[in-house]
Protein backbone atom coordinates (compact mmCIF):
# COMPACT_ATOMS: atom_id res chain seq x y z
CA UNK A 1 0.00 0.00 0.00
CA UNK A 2 1.48 3.37 -0.96
CA UNK A 3 1.76 6.29 1.41
CA UNK A 4 0.76 8.94 -1.12
CA UNK A 5 -1.69 11.37 0.42
CA UNK A 6 -5.02 12.10 -1.23
CA UNK A 7 -4.64 15.39 -3.09
CA UNK A 8 -7.35 17.96 -2.53
CA UNK A 9 -8.71 19.19 -5.84
CA UNK A 10 -9.62 22.74 -4.87
CA UNK A 11 -7.02 25.16 -3.57
CA UNK A 12 -7.56 27.61 -0.73
CA UNK A 13 -7.46 30.43 -3.29
CA UNK A 14 -10.35 28.89 -5.23
CA UNK A 15 -12.31 28.50 -2.01
CA UNK A 16 -11.65 32.15 -1.14
CA UNK A 17 -12.64 33.25 -4.62
CA UNK A 18 -15.94 31.37 -4.35
CA UNK A 19 -16.70 33.02 -1.00
CA UNK A 20 -15.81 36.50 -2.28
CA UNK A 21 -17.85 35.93 -5.43
CA UNK A 22 -20.87 34.90 -3.38
CA UNK A 23 -20.48 37.97 -1.13
CA UNK A 24 -20.23 40.27 -4.16
CA UNK A 25 -23.36 38.73 -5.65
CA UNK A 26 -25.23 39.19 -2.37
CA UNK A 27 -24.11 42.84 -2.19
CA UNK A 28 -25.13 43.52 -5.80
CA UNK A 29 -28.53 41.96 -5.21
CA UNK A 30 -29.01 43.95 -2.00
CA UNK A 31 -28.17 47.20 -3.82
CA UNK A 32 -30.72 46.36 -6.50
CA UNK A 33 -33.41 45.45 -3.98
CA UNK A 34 -33.00 48.43 -1.69
CA UNK A 35 -32.71 51.02 -4.45
CA UNK A 36 -36.24 52.42 -4.73
CA UNK A 37 -36.17 53.63 -8.34
CA UNK A 38 -37.49 51.18 -10.90
CA UNK A 39 -35.75 52.40 -14.05
CA UNK A 40 -34.98 49.88 -16.80
CA UNK A 41 -31.27 49.92 -16.01
CA UNK A 42 -31.96 49.15 -12.37
CA UNK A 43 -34.20 46.22 -13.27
CA UNK A 44 -31.55 44.87 -15.65
CA UNK A 45 -28.92 45.25 -12.93
CA UNK A 46 -31.11 43.36 -10.49
CA UNK A 47 -31.74 40.57 -13.00
CA UNK A 48 -28.02 40.14 -13.67
CA UNK A 49 -27.26 40.30 -9.93
CA UNK A 50 -29.79 37.55 -9.21
CA UNK A 51 -28.31 35.38 -11.98
CA UNK A 52 -24.83 36.01 -10.56
CA UNK A 53 -26.07 35.13 -7.08
CA UNK A 54 -27.50 31.81 -8.26
CA UNK A 55 -24.35 30.78 -10.12
CA UNK A 56 -22.06 31.80 -7.27
CA UNK A 57 -24.28 29.86 -4.85
CA UNK A 58 -23.76 26.69 -6.90
CA UNK A 59 -20.01 27.32 -7.02
CA UNK A 60 -19.79 27.88 -3.27
CA UNK A 61 -21.84 24.75 -2.57
CA UNK A 62 -19.55 22.71 -4.84
CA UNK A 63 -16.42 24.01 -3.12
CA UNK A 64 -17.78 23.24 0.34
CA UNK A 65 -18.91 19.76 -0.74
CA UNK A 66 -15.55 18.97 -2.37
CA UNK A 67 -13.67 20.08 0.74
CA UNK A 68 -15.85 17.86 2.95
CA UNK A 69 -15.47 14.87 0.61
CA UNK A 70 -11.69 15.27 0.54
CA UNK A 71 -11.61 15.13 4.33
CA UNK A 72 -13.85 12.08 4.34
CA UNK A 73 -11.64 10.21 1.84
CA UNK A 74 -8.51 10.83 3.91
CA UNK A 75 -10.35 9.63 6.99
CA UNK A 76 -11.50 6.45 5.21
CA UNK A 77 -7.98 5.70 3.97
CA UNK A 78 -6.58 6.13 7.49
CA UNK A 79 -9.34 3.92 8.89
CA UNK A 80 -8.59 1.18 6.33
CA UNK A 81 -4.88 1.26 7.19
CA UNK A 82 -5.68 0.97 10.89
CA UNK A 83 -8.04 -1.96 10.30
CA UNK A 84 -5.38 -3.74 8.22
CA UNK A 85 -2.78 -3.31 10.97
CA UNK A 86 -5.20 -4.58 13.61
CA UNK A 87 -6.16 -7.58 11.47
CA UNK A 88 -2.53 -8.54 10.92
CA UNK A 89 -1.59 -8.15 14.59
CA UNK A 90 -1.69 -11.32 16.68
CA UNK A 91 -1.25 -10.53 20.38
CA UNK A 92 -0.62 -14.20 21.22
CA UNK A 93 2.13 -14.68 18.67
CA UNK A 94 5.35 -15.93 20.26
CA UNK A 95 8.41 -13.88 19.70
Amino acid sequence: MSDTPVRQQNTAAFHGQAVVSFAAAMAATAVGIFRPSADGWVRGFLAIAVLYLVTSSFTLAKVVRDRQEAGRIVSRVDQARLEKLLAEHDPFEKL
Side-chain angles (χ1 to χ4, degrees), residues 29-87:
T29 304
V31 166
I33 289 172
F34 293 115
R35 185 169 171 91
S37 65
D39 193 18
W41 286 101
V42 175
R43 287 184 291 205
F45 174 79
L46 183 58
I48 290 173
V50 168
L51 180 64
Y52 181 35
L53 181 62
V54 169
T55 58
S56 65
S57 297
F58 280 115
T59 302
L60 184 61
K62 178 201 171 299
V63 168
V64 170
R65 181 202 64 204
D66 288 349
R67 188 169 274 198
Q68 287 177 343
E69 284 181 356
R72 194 175 320 144
I73 289 171
V74 169
S75 176
R76 289 181 63 193
V77 168
D78 289 342
Q79 181 66 28
R81 287 179 182 160
L82 177 65
E83 288 176 3
K84 180 183 176 191
L85 286 173
L86 289 174

